[in-house]
Amino acid sequence: MLQSFRDVYCQSADGLKLHAKIIGPDDSTALPVLCLPGLTRTTDDFDDIARAIATDPAKPRKVVAVDYRGRGLSDYDPDPAKYAVPVELGDVLTIAASLGISRAILLGTSRGGLISMALAAAQPQLLAGVILNDIGPSLEMGGLMKIKGYIANPPPRQTWDEAARGLKELFASAFPSLRDAEWMAWARRAFREKAGGGLERTYDLKLSHTLDGFDPATPLPQDWELFDKLAGVPLMLIHGGLSDLLSRQGVQDMVARRPDIDLVTVADQGHAPLLADKPTMDRIVAFCARCDGAKT
C-alpha cells in the first residue's frame, strides 16, 4: 500500500501561510530531505522521488517538499517584489524550523538549486548534502529566455486534455520519450480547477516579473563564489541531457571545480529532469544513504 502525504502549514515572518507536504517516518534516525521546486513549480513535482526516498527499505526517512510563497497551497504575496531567492530562502528556513529540522539533505530543482546554494552561504550548518537538479552557477541565456517566454503570458486552458496538449507542444523536444499519460500527469501538477470552470496555473502569474531584468543582449552573471560555498558538502548533480539551461560545458566546469561530485545524466530529458525514472531515483536514494555516513 502506498504511503500517503501529509499537509502541514506554518506562517512566514511577514504573515503569509506557507505549505509543505511530508511523507515518511517522523522518528527516523536518517537525515530528512528537503525538496525545493523550480520557479513556478510546487510540492507535487516530487511525489515519485519523495515516496522512493521515504520508503527505502534499508533506511526510510522523512521527506518534506516545500511550496514557496506564491506557489501551490502557500499564500500569494501581495508584493511581487518578494518573489526573490532571499525571501524564498527565508520561507524554506521557516518551514524547516517549524518541523524541527536543523540538518537535512537538500534536493533543489532549478530555482530550488539556486536557493540550496544560497543556503550554503546563509545557513551552512543546515546542509548535510545537496542534490542540484539541472542547475548551476553558469546558465544558458536561451534556456532562461524560453522560461521567460512561457510564463510571461501563458495561454488559458479550459480542459485537462487542452492543458496536457499545450505542455506537449511546449516541451516535447525536451522530453521526447514521455507518453500521453505522463503529459496528463504533468498537467495535473501544473494546473488546478478554478471556481466557475476552466483551469488555472498552480502559481501566481506575477512570478513572471522575477525575470524582467534578463535580456539576451546582457550576459548572465555567473555565481561560482556561491557554488564554492558547497565545498565539503556531499554533492550530486542531475543533468538533463537535452537541457537548454545547463550546458554540457557548464557541467564540465562544475565537475572540474568539484571532482567528487556525483554526476547523473538523464539522457532523454531536458530542463529539468522529472526525477521519476527508476535509475535516477535509485541513485538519489543511494546518495542520501552516503550523506548519513558523512554526517558529523
Side-chain angles (χ1 to χ4, degrees), residues 166-178:
L167 287 170
K168 187 174 182 178
E169 289 169 3
L170 269 175
F171 300 113
S173 61
F175 295 88
S177 300
L178 292 194

Side-chain angles (χ1 to χ4, degrees), residues 219-294:
L220 284 175
Q222 298 190 8
D223 212 335
W224 288 103
E225 183 179 350
L226 211 54
F227 179 76
D228 289 342
K229 295 292 185 182
L230 294 170
V233 178
L235 184 59
M236 169 178 272
L237 173 63
I238 300 168
H239 179 226
L242 302 178
S243 177
D244 57 2
L245 188 68
L246 181 61
S247 68
R248 290 194 177 113
Q249 184 60 54
V251 171
Q252 290 172 14
D253 292 343
M254 293 167 75
V255 172
R257 208 93 161 196
R258 281 289 303 266
D260 63 329
I261 200 168
D262 189 347
L263 176 62
V264 178
T265 299
V266 186
D268 62 345
Q269 295 189 12
H271 184 76
L274 302 176
L275 312 182
D277 63 287
K278 191 173 187 307
T280 301
M281 291 194 292
D282 286 348
R283 290 282 297 275
I284 292 172
V285 169
F287 175 81
C288 291
R290 290 197 297 278
C291 291
D292 282 325

Side-chain angles (χ1 to χ4, degrees), residues 80-252:
K82 290 184 179 177
Y83 294 141
V85 166
V87 179
E88 293 158 7
L89 179 154
D91 291 343
V92 173
L93 291 176
T94 296
I95 290 171
S98 75
L99 296 170
I101 295 174
S102 59
R103 192 162 172 79
I105 302 161
L106 305 187
L107 168 51
T109 294
S110 196
R111 188 171 182 99
L114 298 179
I115 292 172
S116 298
M117 289 191 287
L119 280 165
Q123 295 285 339
Q125 70 278 7
L126 175 66
L127 278 60
V130 172
I131 304 166
L132 300 175
N133 185 19
D134 210 57
I135 194 69
S138 178
L139 302 174
E140 298 301 305
M141 180 62 79
L144 191 64
M145 288 299 102
K146 181 178 179 180
I147 295 171
K148 183 176 180 178
Y150 67 68
I151 71 170
N153 293 293
R157 305 298 186 195
Q158 296 300 315
T159 68
W160 289 111
D161 283 342
E162 193 176 74
R165 229 175 12 253
L167 287 170
K168 187 174 182 178
E169 289 169 3
L170 269 175
F171 300 113
S173 61
F175 295 88
S177 300
L178 292 194
R179 298 163 297 182
D180 286 346
E182 291 167 308
W183 288 113
M184 181 59 73
W186 188 337
R188 297 279 179 178
R189 295 190 298 270
F191 293 84
R192 60 190 168 206
E193 294 177 354
K194 64 180 180 180
L199 304 175
E200 63 182 2
R201 268 74 181 174
T202 54
Y203 64 89
D204 187 349
L205 297 183
K206 294 185 179 69
L207 275 168
S208 64
H209 295 305
T210 64
L211 300 179
D212 284 349
F214 293 103
D215 185 279
T218 306
L220 284 175
Q222 298 190 8
D223 212 335
W224 288 103
E225 183 179 350
L226 211 54
F227 179 76
D228 289 342
K229 295 292 185 182
L230 294 170
V233 178
L235 184 59
M236 169 178 272
L237 173 63
I238 300 168
H239 179 226
L242 302 178
S243 177
D244 57 2
L245 188 68
L246 181 61
S247 68
R248 290 194 177 113
Q249 184 60 54
V251 171
Q252 290 172 14

